[in-house]
């Protein structure tokens, strides 16, 4: 089984509120289907999640009543995004089912709690493809919070023990500096905890869940001697397909297991 996260940077335009990249999602769903792999899919929030969440500081938990309509609206926007992703997976021939974290899971002080994986495992056992996503999730201490798709990937990694975990974004992998702002930046084919410290501190995007820096930390925690964890560019046609088929492609592989 391969765990795949379709990042908000590739499935949406992160600079424009609620802008879905249908063409890219359609192609990526076909690449996943054509690869023939058994997949569990997670997706990020992009401009359906981060814009309003940031405006109302939802990531810090409940602080004032004016956040409540925003929390409801972000959950609504994320469900709309999720249904659009599911629709493309169904059209590609994958039996995708939605597992909304805001209704199925809890957090405790920002940590995702998933005591009972029965829903997910039942879907997978039947041959359905669970699709989970970053969401507004209730929190035992903070009222609510934002659970990122990357946090979900880490928890699903413990539940499914996948052979590989793949993060799809809109750039070739991890660079020494943000490649969109620094044309001369260099791609790092492999990353370790030590190497991550040397990457530019301008690593976070305008994002409530920590950007690519937090993503690399999640990836490093998910690696093991048996499992590669790879960041790949989903905007290049065929690259995800080749990676899923086992070919070596331009990407960044997290190495080294736990800290
Ligand atoms: P989301 O969190 O919404 O699901 P995502 O999973 O696609 O999004 P991002 O957090 O948006 O991931 O991270 C990818 C973005 O990080 C890229 O679009 C890139 O511009 C930006 N970025 C900043 N610094 C770097 C860096 N050093 N290397 C690679 N990408 C970087
Ligand atoms: O895009 C965040 O998930 P991510 C989801 O995976 C929301 O970081 C609701 C902002």
């Amino acid at each position: 089984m391969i765990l795949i996260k379709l990042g908000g940077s590739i499935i949406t335009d992160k600079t424009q509120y609620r802008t879905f990249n249908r063409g890219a999602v359609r192609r990526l769903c076909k690449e996943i289907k054509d690869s023939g792999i058994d997949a569990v899919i997670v997706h990020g929030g992009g401009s359906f999640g981060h814009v309003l969440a940031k405006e109302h500081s939802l990531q810090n938990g409940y602080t004032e009543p004016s956040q409540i309509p925003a929390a409801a609206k972000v959950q609504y926007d994320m469900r709309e995004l999720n249904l659009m992703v599911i629709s493309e997976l169904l059209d590609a021939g994958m039996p995708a089912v939605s597992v909304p974290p805001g209704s199925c899971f809890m957090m405790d002080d920002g940590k995702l709690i998933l005591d009972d994986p029965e829903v997910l495992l039942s879907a997978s056992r039947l041959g359905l493809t669970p699709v989970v996503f970053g969401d507004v999730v209730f929190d035992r201490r903070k009222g609510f919070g934002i659970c990122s798709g990357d946090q979900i990937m880490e928890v699903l990694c413990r539940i499914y023990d996948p052979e590989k975990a793949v993060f799809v974004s809109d750039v070739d992998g991890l660079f020494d500096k943000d490649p969109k702002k620094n044309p001369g930046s260099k791609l790092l084919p492999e990353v370790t905890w030590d190497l991550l410290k040397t990457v530019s501190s301008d690593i976070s995007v305008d994002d409530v869940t920590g950007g690519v820096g937090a993503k690399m930390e999640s990836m490093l925690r998910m690696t093991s001697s048996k499992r590669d964890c790879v960041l790949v560019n989903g905007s290049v046609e065929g690259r995800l397909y080749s990676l899923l088929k086992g070919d070596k492609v331009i990407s960044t592989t997290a190495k080294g297991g736990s800290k």
Side-chain angles (χ1 to χ4, degrees):
M1 197 282 275
I2 300 184
L3 199 51
I4 302 172
K5 182 192 174 197
L6 300 175
S9 64
I10 185 73
I11 67 172
T12 77
D13 175 347
K14 285 187 93 157
T15 64
Q16 303 283 330
Y17 178 53
R18 283 179 52 99
T19 309
F20 184 53
N21 286 340
R22 190 176 301 280
V25 175
R26 182 161 297 174
R27 179 177 49 72
L28 291 169
C29 293
K30 190 171 177 321
E31 292 187 26
I32 297 170
K33 168 69 181 169
D34 290 350
S35 72
I37 58 141
D38 179 19
V40 171
I41 296 175
V42 175
H43 68 76
S47 57
F48 285 68
H50 290 276
V51 177
L52 273 192
K54 185 168 187 194
E55 218 171 284
H56 296 273
S57 299
L58 301 185
Q59 73 280 13
N60 299 327
Y62 176 77
T63 52
E64 50 173 303
S66 68
Q67 291 175 306
I68 294 300
K73 179 68 170 128
V74 173
Q75 269 215 1
Y76 175 86
D77 287 345
M78 285 309 303
R79 273 146 193 71
E80 282 216 329
L81 174 62
N82 177 246
L83 283 182
M84 289 192 277
V85 172
I86 297 233
S87 166
E88 296 304 329
L89 285 164
L90 291 173
D91 285 353
M94 295 189 71
V97 287
S98 175
V99 181
S103 317
C104 300
F105 311 148
M106 281 298 294
M107 292 203 294
D108 190 354
D109 207 14
K111 186 172 181 293
L112 179 62
I113 311 291
L114 213 171
D115 293 332
D116 186 359
E118 193 178 352
V119 169
L120 287 161
L121 294 175
S122 300
S124 302
R125 247 183 255 118
L126 287 165
L128 292 154
T129 305
V131 184
V132 196
F133 49 97
D135 204 359
V136 176
V137 172
F138 297 110
D139 189 301
R140 287 175 188 157
R141 288 170 212 229
K142 296 182 167 179
F144 56 68
I146 298 291
C147 174
S148 74
D150 297 350
Q151 264 176 290
I152 294 166
M153 287 289 279
E154 284 195 61
V155 170
L156 295 190
C157 195
R158 293 198 285 276
I159 294 173
Y160 284 99
D161 192 19
E163 63 189 83
K164 191 183 276 185
V166 175
F167 289 73
V168 186
S169 85
D170 65 343
V171 295
D172 281 348
L174 179 70
F175 288 76
D176 58 350
K177 300 187 189 81
D178 183 351
K180 288 188 186 151
K181 297 185 192 148
N182 304 278
S185 57
K186 282 203 229 45
L187 177 69
L188 307 170
E190 286 185 3
V191 66
T192 58
W193 284 107
D194 284 344
L195 193 59
L196 189 58
K197 286 187 214 137
T198 69
V199 172
S200 156
S201 57
D202 177 29
I203 199 169
S204 62
V205 287
D206 201 10
D207 191 309
V208 297
T209 51
V212 77
K215 181 183 313 303
M216 292 318 304
E217 291 179 6
S218 290
M219 287 177 63
L220 282 162
R221 283 190 293 267
M222 289 168 69
T223 56
S224 76
S225 54
K226 293 183 301 179
R227 177 170 45 244
D228 275 350
C229 209
V230 186
L231 179 60
V232 68
N233 191 345
S235 57
V236 179
E237 192 171 342
R239 199 169 281 173
L240 176 63
Y241 170 82
S242 300
L243 177 70
L244 296 178
K245 293 295 279 181
D247 297 343
K248 194 152 175 42
V249 299
I250 295 170
S251 58
T252 296
T253 301
K255 291 263 172 196
S258 51
K259 227 195 268 199

